[in-house]
Amino acid sequence: MLARKARIQEKHSLDLCWPSRNAMAHLDSEVKEECLREDLKFYFMNPCEKYRARHQIPWKLGLQILKIVMVTTQLVRFGLSNQMVVAFKEENTVAFKHLFLKGYSGTDEDDYSCSVYTQEDVYESIFFALSQYRQLKNISLGTLGYGENEDNRIGLKVCKQHYKKGTMFPSNETLNIDSDIEKDCVHLDLSKSPQDWKNSSFFRLEFYRLLQVEISFHLKGIDLQTIHSRELPDCYVFQNTITFDNKAHSGKIKIYFDSEAKIEECKDLNISGSIQKNTQYVLVFDAFVIVICLASLILCTRSIVLALRLRKRFLDFFLEKYKRRVCDADQWEFINGWYILVIISDLMTIIGSILKMEIKAKNLTNYDLCSILLGTSTLFVWVGVIRYLGYFQAYNVLILTMQASLPKVLRFCACAGMIYLGYTFCGWIVLGPYHDKFEDLNTVAECLFSLVNGDDMFATFAQIQQKSILVWLFSRLYLYSFISLFIYMILSLFIALITDSYDTIKKYQQNGFPETDLQEFLKECSSKEKYQKGSSAFLSCVCCLRRKGSEDHLIPVT
């Protein structure tokens, strides 16, 4: 009897010392919930709050600030170098027009360079270009030389297109011609004199069936102005084409000059001085930029991966406890768009920096692709700064307004775009023959966009030709209706959408934003009143111990 009583007392003592199995399970659930809540709170803190909470150094913040300085410096240096390339190409094109176009005034006529109106002027213009090419080294001020054409031959290639033979008598309104087009070409080398070229039967043109004459030749040049900037010079190949266009047969032959410049690797560069050292310094700087962007890319990618893991924990917990899914808005809170923007920017900067290093070493010459990558990446880097300004309420209004108004603005623009396209097609087909700004679809779209912004209105009204009274009246109705519809109605509604979103955001900032499931979960008390003080202490202790052992895998680094 005494032994049984002792066993009962011992069992009762153990029950008092240790919680039951259900109590332990419940306690473990509370530990998980509290750990999840603490991890979520920490994830949505800004870098300063994270440092105050756990003394976690904001590596990404410091890295982004350093990257802004480095990328901007790199872009400015590359922009100055690219500016010299563009200037060299444009100045050479202007010089070529003065060298090879007889009577060039220095200003292009519309989209062509100049025009001729008599047969004598056509022959003089053709042979003037041929003669200037032959004596180029004696008259040119540039560092130019002859280049090989597609046939690996030095010289001029002259081609003419014309209809097959026929007869035409305008006075009798008689025309007998074959519409098939023939193309004849001849190569003129430097061994022959200009007089031999003039006596050639090839240049006896029948203008009534002539479509065009095309003179093409290649020139080579070296850009020496880069030496003043302590950079290696570039070697260029200029593919020049002079086109005498007679397709309209209107008595006016338009002369087009087209020059396409390609940068090629110089075969033999022997330059002494400090240029080589400067090139090495720039290459080292670009390599450092790549290292910085790689570090930023790795940290942001890691943060996104850890955020997705945290998102999965929250979704599983919410489904297990409340038996329902989390709303889409809360799920998107874990997808940080700024990190994605930074990752895209880092990738573009890395690729652009590699191309820039190759260009600097004269192994590549694709300035355009490098400019697009570096320019766009710098744009994204500076846009990403808004994220850190958004931590302050005074600066966060812009970001919140853009986020709130973007869906409505896109839907509104889709509807307004249909009306805009309708006006574009209508203006092109009706006003195209009577107005320069409506000649093609691209020009019409640009003209209408300028009108929406209030630019060049009077000139658009005034330049319409009054050859047709019906078209002139239609143009007035067309322009007045478009301006009234888009400026007074559509543009005003567009601004009203953004203003409405701004007012809503200001109201929420004053009275509080609507709470979602995620925000309500984060606001819940970290301890429950039904547990005793010892149980709460034990819960916090276990949570802290678990987090200490696994926070490197769960908590994103800022």
Side-chain angles (χ1 to χ4, degrees):
M1 186 69 177
L2 292 174
R4 181 180 178 185
K5 184 176 181 180
R7 287 196 298 270
I8 293 174
Q9 289 179 351
E10 183 180 358
K11 182 179 179 181
H12 182 67
S13 312
L14 293 173
D15 291 340
L16 291 175
C17 294
W18 297 99
S20 64
R21 182 175 298 179
N22 293 334
M24 286 297 296
H26 186 71
L27 184 62
D28 186 64
S29 176
E30 289 296 326
V31 170
K32 292 181 180 179
E33 180 177 349
E34 184 64 21
C35 291
L36 177 60
R37 182 179 290 107
E38 291 297 324
D39 289 344
L40 288 173
K41 287 180 179 179
F42 186 79
Y43 173 75
F44 290 106
M45 289 180 182
N46 60 48
C48 297
E49 293 173 345
K50 290 181 179 180
Y51 179 77
R52 287 193 295 264
R54 299 183 184 176
H55 297 286
Q56 182 171 295
I57 300 176
W59 295 109
K60 283 201 298 295
L61 174 59
L63 198 62
Q64 295 304 317
I65 295 175
L66 177 61
K67 190 176 73 172
I68 288 175
V69 177
M70 301 291 292
V71 170
T72 304
T73 303
Q74 180 191 47
L75 182 71
V76 171
R77 290 186 58 86
F78 181 74
L80 294 175
S81 177
N82 194 24
Q83 186 176 347
M84 290 189 292
V85 173
V86 174
F88 185 76
K89 292 180 180 179
E90 292 179 350
E91 291 174 2
N92 271 275
T93 301
V94 174
F96 292 154
K97 290 181 179 180
H98 282 279
L99 282 174
F100 298 107
L101 299 183
K102 182 178 177 59
Y104 180 67
S105 62
T107 305
D108 290 347
E109 302 178 16
D110 296 331
D111 59 336
Y112 53 93
S113 299
C114 55
S115 55
V116 292
Y117 299 90
T118 64
Q119 296 183 14
E120 182 181 359
D121 290 339
V122 174
Y123 285 116
E124 289 183 356
S125 298
I126 292 176
F127 291 116
F128 177 82
L130 303 183
S131 177
Q132 292 290 96
Y133 175 81
R134 194 173 187 275
Q135 54 181 344
L136 178 65
K137 293 184 178 181
N138 299 326
I139 61 176
S140 174
L141 298 175
T143 56
L144 297 173
Y146 297 114
E148 298 178 348
N149 58 17
E150 296 84 355
D151 302 328
N152 296 323
R153 301 172 65 182
I154 295 178
L156 293 157
K157 183 179 181 181
V158 184
C159 297
K160 61 180 181 179
Q161 295 182 9
H162 50 79
Y163 296 120
K164 287 187 177 180
K165 290 185 177 180
T167 56
M168 181 178 65
F169 301 99
S171 58
N172 296 332
E173 300 178 352
T174 302
L175 174 64
N176 182 16
I177 195 169
D178 192 339
S179 60
D180 292 337
I181 298 175
E182 293 181 341
K183 183 178 181 179
D184 300 327
C185 295
V186 63
H187 180 80
L188 304 177
D189 53 34
L190 299 175
S191 60
K192 295 184 179 180
S193 65
Q195 190 62 36
D196 295 334
W197 295 345
K198 292 181 180 180
N199 296 331
S200 173
S201 60
F202 179 85
F203 291 101
R204 296 171 187 173
L205 306 176
E206 296 179 354
F207 290 93
Y208 76 93
R209 63 190 187 97
L210 178 69
L211 293 175
Q212 73 175 29
V213 177
E214 184 179 276
I215 304 173
S216 59
F217 54 93
H218 290 63
L219 299 175
K220 291 185 176 181
I222 301 177
D223 184 9
L224 297 180
Q225 65 176 333
T226 56
I227 296 179
H228 299 288
S229 302
R230 297 183 179 181
E231 295 183 8
L232 296 175
D234 292 321
C235 295
Y236 290 80
V237 175
F238 298 96
Q239 301 177 4
N240 300 319
T241 304
I242 305 174
T243 305
F244 296 80
D245 188 1
N246 190 42
K247 294 178 182 178
H249 288 87
S250 59
K252 173 183 177 179
I253 292 183
K254 302 176 183 178
I255 303 177
Y256 296 87
F257 186 92
D258 180 63
S259 180
E260 182 180 352
K262 292 185 177 180
I263 304 176
E264 294 188 350
E265 181 182 355
C266 296
K267 296 181 179 179
D268 187 11
L269 284 178
N270 186 12
I271 301 174
S272 60
S274 59
I275 295 181
Q276 296 291 346
K277 292 184 178 179
N278 181 72
T279 302
Q280 293 176 358
Y281 293 150
V282 174
L283 293 178
V284 171
F285 179 82
D286 292 334
F288 186 63
V289 172
I290 293 176
V291 172
I292 294 296
C293 291
L294 277 175
S296 173
L297 177 65
I298 292 172
L299 288 178
C300 291
T301 304
R302 176 176 177 270
S303 296
I304 290 180
V305 172
L306 295 177
L308 292 177
R309 292 180 181 176
L310 188 60
R311 172 178 175 267
K312 187 176 185 303
R313 286 177 54 196
F314 177 69
L315 295 180
D316 294 341
F317 168 80
F318 206 85
L319 185 62
E320 179 182 352
K321 182 174 182 179
Y322 299 103
K323 307 303 179 182
R324 62 186 180 90
R325 296 178 67 255
V326 179
C327 63
D328 293 337
D330 282 343
Q331 295 187 37
W332 282 105
E333 287 291 329
F334 293 89
I335 308 299
N336 197 322
W338 296 111
Y339 288 159
I340 298 175
L341 186 69
V342 171
I343 289 175
I344 296 174
S345 173
D346 290 335
L347 290 174
M348 298 181 74
T349 302
I350 292 172
I351 299 174
S353 298
I354 294 174
L355 292 178
K356 181 178 179 294
M357 295 174 68
E358 293 294 322
I359 291 173
K360 194 70 179 178
K362 303 307 176 185
N363 297 325
L364 288 178
T365 57
N366 197 338
Y367 276 85
D368 294 336
L369 178 59
C370 185
S371 300
I372 292 173
L373 291 174
L374 292 182
T376 308
S377 65
T378 307
L379 169 64
F380 288 164
V381 167
W382 280 97
V383 171
V385 179
I386 301 178
R387 173 184 178 237
Y388 299 104
L389 294 177
Y391 294 136
F392 306 96
Q393 185 175 357
Y395 299 96
N396 200 31
V397 177
L398 174 62
I399 302 174
L400 296 177
T401 303
M402 292 175 62
Q403 291 177 348
S405 62
L406 184 61
K408 294 184 290 185
V409 167
L410 291 178
R411 289 190 293 267
F412 181 81
C413 289
C415 297
M418 302 302 170
I419 305 176
Y420 189 86
L421 286 175
Y423 271 93
T424 300
F425 286 111
C426 179
W428 171 57
I429 196 65
V430 177
L431 303 180
Y434 302 93
H435 202 297
D436 295 339
K437 296 182 179 181
F438 292 85
E439 288 183 348
D440 55 77
L441 284 173
N442 183 48
T443 307
V444 176
E446 294 173 354
C447 175
L448 295 181
F449 188 78
S450 299
L451 291 176
V452 171
N453 292 276
D455 297 334
D456 212 19
M457 283 192 180
F458 178 77
T460 305
F461 277 95
Q463 289 178 7
I464 187 69
Q465 300 178 14
Q466 300 187 18
K467 295 181 178 180
S468 172
I469 299 298
L470 181 61
V471 174
W472 184 85
L473 292 174
F474 177 84
S475 69
R476 265 45 192 171
L477 178 62
Y478 173 85
L479 293 174
Y480 279 123
S481 62
F482 176 82
I483 293 172
S484 301
L485 179 62
F486 271 83
I487 292 183
Y488 302 138
M489 183 180 296
I490 294 180
L491 188 59
S492 298
L493 290 174
F494 182 84
I495 297 174
L497 288 176
I498 301 177
T499 305
D500 181 65
S501 299
Y502 174 77
D503 292 337
T504 303
I505 296 300
K506 291 291 290 183
K507 180 180 178 182
Y508 284 160
Q509 285 188 330
Q510 294 174 358
N511 303 328
F513 288 85
E515 292 186 354
T516 62
D517 294 334
L518 177 61
Q519 293 169 342
E520 291 179 355
F521 176 73
L522 293 177
K523 282 188 175 183
E524 291 181 8
C525 297
S526 59
S527 61
K528 305 299 181 180
E529 295 179 356
K530 64 180 180 179
Y531 288 108
Q532 298 177 354
K533 185 176 181 180
S535 299
S536 297
F538 177 74
L539 175 66
S540 300
C541 181
V542 174
C543 185
C544 291
L545 289 174
R546 290 191 176 186
R547 185 179 297 109
K548 184 177 181 180
S550 61
E551 64 181 354
D552 293 336
H553 305 282
L554 298 176
I555 305 303
V557 179
T558 302

